[in-house]
Amino acid sequence: ERGVDWSVHHRVPRGMGGTRSETVNAVPSLLVVCGSATTGCHQRIESRRAEARTSGWLVARGLDPETTPVLIDHGARWVYLGSDGKYHDNPPDGAS
């Protein structure tokens, strides 16, 4: 059940009241994680912000989440989240 067993986490924080920012709501900024903001992996991301930034689970505003790698599979793999909704081993063409 969404919001209990799993939820959508915004890598670029939405901020208080949400946002209509295309970057914040774009596919590379979204992760499906277990739990809610107060349980499971989602709670871990929200409560351990430094670890979340180091792992790519949180991306500062102004940075492109598509060019920021993220640690997945319980710490086993680094990937880039593409705008096509797929995992990629390399950043998109033209990214530095």
Side-chain angles (χ1 to χ4, degrees):
E1 179 182 347
R2 182 179 180 177
V4 177
D5 300 314
W6 63 275
S7 55
V8 176
H9 166 69
H10 287 77
R11 295 173 67 206
V12 177
R14 292 180 297 172
M16 297 296 282
T19 184
R20 292 178 192 235
S21 166
E22 290 182 23
T23 300
V24 171
N25 293 306
V27 172
S29 183
L30 305 175
L31 286 175
V32 174
V33 295
C34 68
S36 69
T38 60
T39 64
C41 297
H42 204 160
Q43 184 272 336
R44 178 179 175 180
I45 291 168
E46 296 298 338
S47 66
R48 299 179 184 178
R49 308 288 274 188
E51 175 187 8
R53 281 188 286 282
T54 301
S55 300
W57 304 327
L58 280 178
V59 178
R61 283 186 186 252
L63 296 180
D64 183 355
E66 193 168 5
T67 62
T68 303
V70 61
L71 194 57
I72 62 165
D73 295 337
H74 299 280
R77 183 175 174 203
W78 284 97
V79 297
Y80 293 87
L81 304 181
S83 57
D84 59 2
K86 296 179 181 178
Y87 296 150
H88 298 274
D89 293 324
N90 299 302
D93 290 338
S96 51

